[in-house]
């Protein structure tokens, strides 16, 4: 803007940057000499921004839906008192909608030679890495008439992890696992179980478990107890192709699959089994292998944090080849993918014999509860057509599941809320039957 009078003189001398003068100030300064002097003095006494030192500390990871506190330490090495308005900028997904302006702005006073710490509370709305943007500081003079402004780049990253909401189902599944493991009186026997101990016969026990040799040496009838084998290998495969991007409710199918995978991993590691993770579409997106029981779940959560659905068709041939390389010995392969007819019939079905000959295969899929609601629609022609579409969709999924079952695949097809416990129950059923 064009300046005249004393304002132009002060700006030319460098006392007041032209860009900081509002139009209303320009006219006032042109006719008011004392005000011009006061503004120049106020600007000169404002603490410089460029010489400030900024450091970060605080949370580096947080579960989705939980708050994260990131601290910003501002050190004032100069000789002037800092009176500032600070904006700590982060991506929009680091805040709840509508909360960013209030949460990211702070008023700050730092005496000369001292430091102060600000805390920015984030509440991310998406998984993944959230990187800090610039820190903008507006330093005011003692009169509050003019201000210096500048920006600093202070790197910091907060990794937003999957929420693992299905962990509420873990205690009940661990209780069932203890029953299978012979820690209570309910014992099972299957092809893959191991002999555990002898005990006295009680009415209701399977007579096939009676140990006649041991019975001959003791005054009571003895029965064998069994426990499921440990140290089995489980490979959990997440399909991150285009079908995983479909939203069911408020979240993509991939998020529900992740939650189910975490519950299964937590349960299987408690059962003494080894669990690996593979995320794949056209190529591997994540691979977690050979972790100890204590490290398995943290490694899974960390690997899943940055996974996003890819809008490409999953390469089933490459997926099966990667599975066979990652699991050279007999394993339980858990595929978390879609039951859509086209990807299964054209991609996975022709390749299933390569998997089922070597491994036990369990396929889990997220069903849309809205489809079930559609089948109950009645009233007018539009509702009847909607019900027919929902019924046809359900029938197609059942046909696809039956095709998989004929190839020896165990299928779990249920809604997002029940997928995780249903998958855990299927694992326990296979373990109790000695199928692992």
């Amino acid at each position: 803007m064009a300046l005249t009078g004393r304002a132009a003189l002060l700006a030319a001398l460098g006392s007041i940057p032209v860009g900081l003068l509002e139009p209303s100030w320009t006219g006032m300064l042109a006719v008011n000499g004392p005000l011009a002097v006061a503004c120049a003095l106020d600007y000169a006494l404002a603490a410089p921004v460029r010489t400030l030192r900024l450091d970060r500390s605080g949370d580096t990871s947080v579960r989705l839906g939980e708050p994260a506190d990131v601290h910003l330490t501002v050190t004032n090495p100069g000789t002037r008192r800092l009176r500032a308005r600070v904006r700590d900028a982060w991506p929009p997904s680091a805040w709840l909608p509508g909360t960013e302006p209030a949460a990211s702005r702070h008023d700050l006073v730092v005496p000369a030679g001292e430091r102060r710490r600000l805390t920015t509370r984030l509440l991310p709305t998406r998984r993944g890495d959230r990187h800090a943007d610039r820190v903008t500081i507006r330093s005011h003079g003692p009169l509050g008439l003019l201000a210096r402004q500048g920006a600093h780049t202070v790197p910091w990253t907060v990794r937003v992890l999957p929420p693992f909401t299905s962990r509420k189902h873990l205690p009940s599944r661990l209780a069932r696992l203890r029953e299978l493991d012979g820690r209570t009186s309910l014992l099972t026997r299957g092809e893959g179980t191991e002999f555990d101990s002898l005990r006295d016969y009680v009415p209701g026990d399977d007579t096939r478990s009676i140990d006649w040799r041991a019975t001959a040496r003791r005054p009571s009838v003895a029965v064998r107890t069994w426990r499921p084998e440990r140290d089995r290998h489980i490979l959990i495969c997440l399909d991150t192709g285009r079908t995983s991007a479909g939203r069911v409710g408020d979240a993509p199918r991939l998020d529900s699959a992740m939650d189910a995978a975490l519950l299964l991993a937590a349960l299987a590691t408690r059962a003494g089994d080894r669990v690996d993770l593979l995320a794949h579409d056209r190529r591997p997106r994540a691979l977690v292998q050979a972790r100890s029981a204590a490290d398995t779940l943290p490694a899974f959560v960390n690997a899943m944090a940055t996974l996003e659905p890819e809008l490409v068709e999953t390469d089933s041939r490459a997926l099966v080849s990667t599975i066979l390389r990652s699991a050279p010995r007999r394993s339980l392969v858990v595929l978390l993918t879609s039951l859509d007819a086209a990807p299964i019939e054209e991609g996975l079905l022709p390749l299933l014999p390569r998997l089922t000959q070597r491994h036990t295969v369990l396929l889990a899929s997220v069903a849309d509860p809205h489809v079930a609601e559609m089948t109950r629609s009645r009233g007018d022609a539009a509702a009847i057509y909607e019900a027919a579409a929902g019924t046809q969709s359900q029938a197609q999924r059942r046909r696809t599941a039956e095709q998989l079952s004929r190839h020896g695949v165990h299928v779990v097809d249920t809604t997002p809320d029940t997928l995780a416990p249903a998958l855990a129950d299927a694992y326990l059923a296979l373990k109790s039957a000695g199928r692992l």
Side-chain angles (χ1 to χ4, degrees):
M1 64 183 71
L3 301 181
T4 59
R6 293 185 178 88
L9 177 60
L10 292 172
L13 294 175
S15 299
I16 306 175
V18 173
L20 290 180
L21 289 174
E22 297 293 337
S24 58
W25 282 100
T26 304
M28 293 175 64
L29 292 176
V31 297
N32 195 326
L35 180 60
V37 174
C39 288
L41 181 62
D42 192 47
Y43 180 81
L45 294 177
V49 174
R50 292 183 179 180
T51 59
L52 299 176
R53 295 198 300 267
L54 280 70
D55 300 288
R56 288 194 187 273
S57 61
D59 296 330
T60 56
S61 64
V62 64
R63 290 194 182 277
L64 183 64
E66 297 179 358
D69 290 335
V70 179
H71 309 299
L72 180 69
T73 302
V74 180
T75 303
N76 179 13
T79 58
R80 305 172 197 164
R81 187 181 187 88
L82 174 67
R83 306 168 185 84
R85 180 74 166 169
V86 180
R87 179 175 183 260
D88 189 3
W90 289 77
S93 58
W95 322 88
L96 285 176
T99 63
E100 187 272 338
S104 65
R105 288 164 171 78
H106 309 272
D107 291 318
L108 180 68
V109 176
V110 185
E114 297 187 15
R115 67 182 64 181
R116 294 292 185 269
R117 191 175 76 170
L118 306 173
T119 298
T120 300
R121 171 155 290 191
L122 309 177
L123 192 59
T125 57
R126 292 178 55 190
R127 288 182 295 101
D129 291 338
R130 299 292 168 263
H131 303 285
D133 204 339
R134 294 178 302 175
V135 177
T136 303
I137 301 177
R138 178 171 292 180
S139 174
H140 295 278
L143 300 178
L145 298 176
L146 293 180
R148 303 171 185 263
Q149 181 169 306
H152 291 254
T153 300
V154 191
W156 194 259
T157 301
V158 175
R159 173 157 290 189
V160 186
L161 308 173
F164 192 15
T165 56
S166 63
R167 61 181 178 271
K168 62 186 177 184
H169 300 290
L170 186 58
S172 61
R173 270 60 190 181
L174 288 176
R176 292 184 56 188
L177 180 63
R178 286 192 292 270
E179 293 175 353
L180 295 179
D181 205 23
R183 299 177 194 174
T184 67
S185 58
L186 180 60
L187 298 167
T188 59
R189 180 180 180 180
E191 298 174 359
T193 54
E194 296 178 342
F195 172 73
D196 184 50
S197 61
L198 293 172
R199 63 171 174 82
D200 290 339
Y201 174 85
V202 296
D205 283 338
D206 189 346
T207 55
R208 292 174 297 176
S209 296
I210 296 176
D211 190 319
W212 295 107
R213 290 187 179 182
T215 300
R217 298 192 298 269
R218 53 195 296 173
S220 59
V221 178
V223 294
R224 292 173 178 263
T225 62
W226 308 84
R227 63 179 176 86
E229 292 183 3
R230 291 175 171 267
D231 201 29
R232 302 296 89 186
H233 181 228
I234 300 171
L235 178 61
I236 301 176
C237 305
L238 292 173
D239 181 357
T240 56
R242 64 170 184 83
T243 56
S244 68
R247 299 187 74 84
V248 179
D250 295 330
R253 282 188 168 92
L254 180 59
D255 285 24
S256 300
M258 288 180 180
D259 197 48
L262 290 175
L263 180 62
L264 177 58
L267 181 62
T269 52
R270 298 287 187 91
D273 293 333
R274 295 174 291 112
V275 190
D276 294 340
L277 174 70
L278 169 66
H280 196 286
D281 40 73
R282 288 194 174 276
R283 61 180 179 84
R285 300 291 177 176
L287 183 60
V288 179
Q289 289 181 302
R291 298 301 178 99
S292 66
D295 293 338
T296 296
L297 203 60
F300 274 33
V301 169
N302 194 57
M304 291 177 181
T306 57
L307 286 178
E308 294 292 344
E310 299 291 333
L311 299 182
V312 296
E313 197 70 44
T314 298
D315 187 341
S316 298
R317 188 174 299 277
L319 172 61
V320 171
S321 298
T322 305
I323 290 173
L324 294 175
R325 288 195 305 270
S326 304
R329 299 180 181 178
R330 185 164 186 81
S331 309
L332 171 62
V333 176
V334 181
L335 288 171
L336 288 149
T337 185
S338 169
L339 264 183
D340 292 352
I344 294 293
E345 294 175 359
E346 298 174 9
L348 188 59
L349 274 179
L351 304 170
L352 273 180
R354 296 177 58 191
L355 278 180
T356 54
Q357 287 174 2
R358 185 184 299 182
H359 304 300
T360 301
V361 181
L362 173 60
L363 186 145
S365 180
V366 181
D368 191 343
H370 181 63
V371 176
E373 295 175 5
M374 291 171 57
T375 61
R376 296 189 292 269
S377 298
R378 297 294 186 272
D380 54 15
I384 297 301
Y385 279 116
E386 186 175 87
T391 302
Q392 183 179 19
S393 176
Q394 287 184 331
Q396 182 62 65
R397 291 179 73 88
R398 284 195 297 269
R399 285 194 296 269
T400 304
E402 290 169 359
Q403 286 180 297
L404 292 168
S405 298
R406 286 195 292 270
H407 283 78
V409 177
H410 305 272
V411 179
V412 175
D413 181 26
T414 185
T415 58
D417 293 339
T418 58
L419 179 66
L423 182 59
D425 291 341
Y427 162 76
L428 291 173
L430 290 172
K431 199 168 186 67
S432 65
R435 301 292 300 276
L436 300 188

